[in-house]
Amino acid sequence: MTDSRHADTPASTPAVTLASGGETLLGVLHVPAGAGPHPIAVLLHGFPGNERNFDLAHALRRAGYAALVFHYRGSWGVGGAWSWRNVLDDAAQAVASVQENAFSTAYRLDPGRLAVIGHSAGGFAALMTAAADPTVGAVVSVAGFDFGAVSADLADPAVRAAYVQDWDGELLPLRGTSGEALVAEVEAAGQSWSLAGLAPRLMGRPVLLVGTGRDPVAPPDVHHSPLVEAYRAHPAIRLEHQVFPTDHALSDHRVTLARSVTSFLDRHLRPVG
């Protein structure tokens, strides 16, 4: 795959801002060369966002997709407070923002061909966002973390304490939260945040689930395989799935990941021209 060059409409990487919850979210849009309009992928990073998937954004742009990477409230210098609910609300707002006429016209986007792609907690948010918004044409969850699947385990004090400790250790780039607050939020949401329960609202749309076989954060027997089984029970979901023998960040499978995601989108949101 090589870079595409168009003298009249070259590729670009503008910084963009999005409004959500009274705060200004900071983003970077990867716009392909050519007149477009280009299909658009909204990329959702995880917790706390050390892996922001810029390599995936560049790969998607080379393949003809515009790709937005942005930060949620309370993360990496953005105002407001971090919370799982704010992640969901900010993801939904980002999807709505790229479909607004002024935004899509300015950057030569096709809001009718839109995908949401997320990693880890971003995978959770991608599936939740797609289930709530029928304008999302395709969804990809990579090493997705199923908060609903672990919520019942928090009744065990030792498990709960381990999550509080682990999440407290990731807060340096975040503001306005704590491990205790994040665990309490998952407890309160319970099964309403079960990804398996989203199946009826994803029917008719393409879904790609990527599991990670050497992953202590989102082990596939908890966060991937049960989801595949639940979505398979709804044949109307256009499900594709795979498990890569890699860690949570897909450290040695980034090229494979980019090819898999691009191929998936080509089958369902193929660029025109």
Side-chain angles (χ1 to χ4, degrees), residues 128-146:
M128 293 283 286
T129 301
D133 186 347
T135 69
V136 175
V139 58
V140 180
S141 173
V142 179
F145 192 92
D146 189 343

Side-chain angles (χ1 to χ4, degrees), residues 18-263:
L18 313 167
S20 184
E23 300 292 344
T24 299
L25 311 184
L26 306 179
V28 179
L29 184 65
H30 301 71
V31 183
H38 307 290
I40 171 72
V42 175
L43 301 182
L44 305 176
H45 69 67
F47 166 77
N50 293 319
E51 176 52 68
R52 277 159 275 181
N53 301 294
F54 279 111
D55 60 332
L56 186 54
H58 283 286
L60 289 171
R61 174 167 56 188
R62 287 192 295 272
Y65 300 89
L68 172 68
V69 177
F70 73 97
H71 288 305
Y72 317 105
R73 275 174 281 173
S75 69
W76 300 88
V78 174
W82 174 281
S83 71
W84 305 127
R85 171 47 60 187
N86 282 353
V87 167
L88 293 175
D89 290 348
D90 293 348
Q93 187 56 51
V95 167
S97 295
V98 300
Q99 295 180 87
E100 291 175 356
N101 185 65
F103 193 99
S104 61
T105 300
Y107 297 112
R108 313 189 307 277
L109 309 180
D110 181 355
R113 292 183 293 158
L114 185 147
V116 181
I117 303 167
H119 171 250
S120 191
F124 162 78
L127 290 166
M128 293 283 286
T129 301
D133 186 347
T135 69
V136 175
V139 58
V140 180
S141 173
V142 179
F145 192 92
D146 189 343
F147 288 97
V150 303
S151 61
D153 295 338
L154 298 176
D156 181 330
V159 172
R160 189 184 193 283
Y163 272 109
V164 170
Q165 181 178 12
D166 287 347
W167 290 350
D168 267 335
E170 300 287 349
L171 298 182
L172 185 59
L174 309 182
R175 57 186 288 181
T177 192
S178 66
E180 174 61 35
L182 294 175
V183 168
E185 194 177 1
V186 175
E187 289 174 319
Q191 287 304 295
S192 69
W193 283 356
S194 167
L195 296 181
L198 301 179
R201 289 184 280 162
L202 293 171
M203 289 194 293
R205 283 182 286 172
V207 176
L208 173 61
L209 302 177
V210 177
T212 38
R214 295 188 286 105
D215 187 349
V217 177
D221 60 327
V222 174
H223 297 270
H224 178 78
S225 300
L227 199 54
V228 170
E229 182 178 350
Y231 289 4
R232 274 178 169 169
H234 293 262
I237 296 178
R238 297 151 69 185
L239 176 66
E240 301 180 30
H241 63 93
Q242 48 201 306
V243 176
F244 297 145
T246 187
D247 62 7
H248 188 62
L250 292 92
S251 300
D252 53 9
H253 275 67
R254 300 300 302 185
V255 173
T256 301
L257 173 64
R259 289 173 176 165
S260 295
V261 172
T262 300
S263 177

Side-chain angles (χ1 to χ4, degrees), residues 3-25:
D3 291 329
S4 177
R5 297 177 177 86
H6 292 252
D8 294 334
T9 51
S12 61
T13 314
V16 297
T17 59
L18 313 167
S20 184
E23 300 292 344
T24 299
L25 311 184

